[in-house]
Amino acid sequence: MIKTVPKIYFIMGVSGCGKSTIGRLLAKELKVPFYDGDDYHSKTNVKKMAGGQPLTDNDRMGWLLRLNEIALSKREEGAIIGCSALKESYRQILDANLQENARWIYLSGSFEDVLNRLNQRKGHFMPVKLLESQFESLEVPKKAIKVSINMAPEEIVKQILGFI
């Protein structure tokens, strides 16, 4: 029997695309823990974003390194990590030293689709006005499972499971 290698699945995309919802559902299906990247931002970064200022690459560095530490610590059991990972350079930091254990899932949607979602969301630190800067920063991954956000969450998870 071939032993499967536990995977670290990074769910990525702009704010409001459904990373937390899909991450929790997928983690339940795969029976692995879910880590929401938003929970690991520094207070300074949260305050900056809540004030309408986009984060710089330097602002993100500690956050990216912390999420990589989590991924490395969970590679034996597997995990789902939800984070924006908008640039290829961020993804390289996030999956550093994971080799074949890392897989990327990109939740794809148009600016208008995501804007509609954000306008309905309550109680999140990320203001709607930062969405434009996220789309400007987004470098669509070349090696990822790409899934449209224009389905029910359960359908998105079903589609993802068909690829893994």
Side-chain angles (χ1 to χ4, degrees):
M1 181 185 329
I2 298 173
K3 184 178 184 242
T4 59
V5 176
K7 298 282 188 225
I8 303 297
Y9 293 97
F10 290 98
I11 299 184
M12 60 151 300
V14 297
S15 182
C17 70
K19 296 180 296 289
S20 299
T21 299
I22 301 306
R24 285 184 185 95
L25 290 171
L26 187 59
K28 185 177 178 182
E29 286 290 322
L30 297 177
K31 297 176 179 38
V32 296
F34 171 68
Y35 297 89
D36 191 328
D38 285 347
D39 296 339
Y40 298 90
H41 276 295
S42 69
K43 289 179 182 176
T44 302
N45 283 358
V46 171
K47 185 176 179 181
K48 188 173 184 178
M49 289 183 285
Q53 293 182 289
L55 298 180
T56 65
D57 290 352
N58 192 46
D59 292 332
R60 287 185 178 90
M61 188 54 66
W63 175 69
L64 295 168
L65 291 171
R66 177 66 185 119
L67 293 177
N68 175 255
E69 288 172 7
I70 292 168
L72 289 169
S73 74
K74 296 297 177 183
R75 67 181 155 200
E76 294 298 319
E77 65 184 277
I80 309 292
I81 300 174
C83 59
S84 53
L86 298 175
K87 295 182 179 181
E88 178 61 31
S89 61
Y90 302 165
R91 294 188 287 274
Q92 289 174 357
I93 293 166
L94 288 163
D95 69 11
N97 299 310
L98 288 170
Q99 290 81 30
E100 74 277 2
N101 284 32
R103 296 281 305 267
W104 289 91
I105 299 165
Y106 169 48
L107 299 180
S108 174
S110 71
F111 179 85
E112 293 76 20
D113 289 338
V114 178
L115 180 62
N116 288 336
R117 287 173 169 224
L118 284 178
N119 284 328
Q120 296 172 20
R121 186 161 75 170
K122 306 268 187 272
H124 193 274
F125 64 81
M126 182 75 157
V128 171
K129 70 181 187 176
L130 285 183
L131 182 61
E132 192 170 302
S133 73
Q134 288 218 326
F135 270 92
E136 288 170 2
S137 295
L138 177 63
E139 296 172 3
V140 175
K142 293 176 177 72
K143 294 183 179 181
I145 298 167
K146 182 179 176 183
V147 182
S148 170
I149 64 170
N150 294 319
M151 297 180 278
E154 296 77 16
E155 287 299 311
I156 293 172
V157 170
K158 184 177 177 182
Q159 188 171 9
I160 292 167
L161 289 170
F163 286 107
I164 60 176

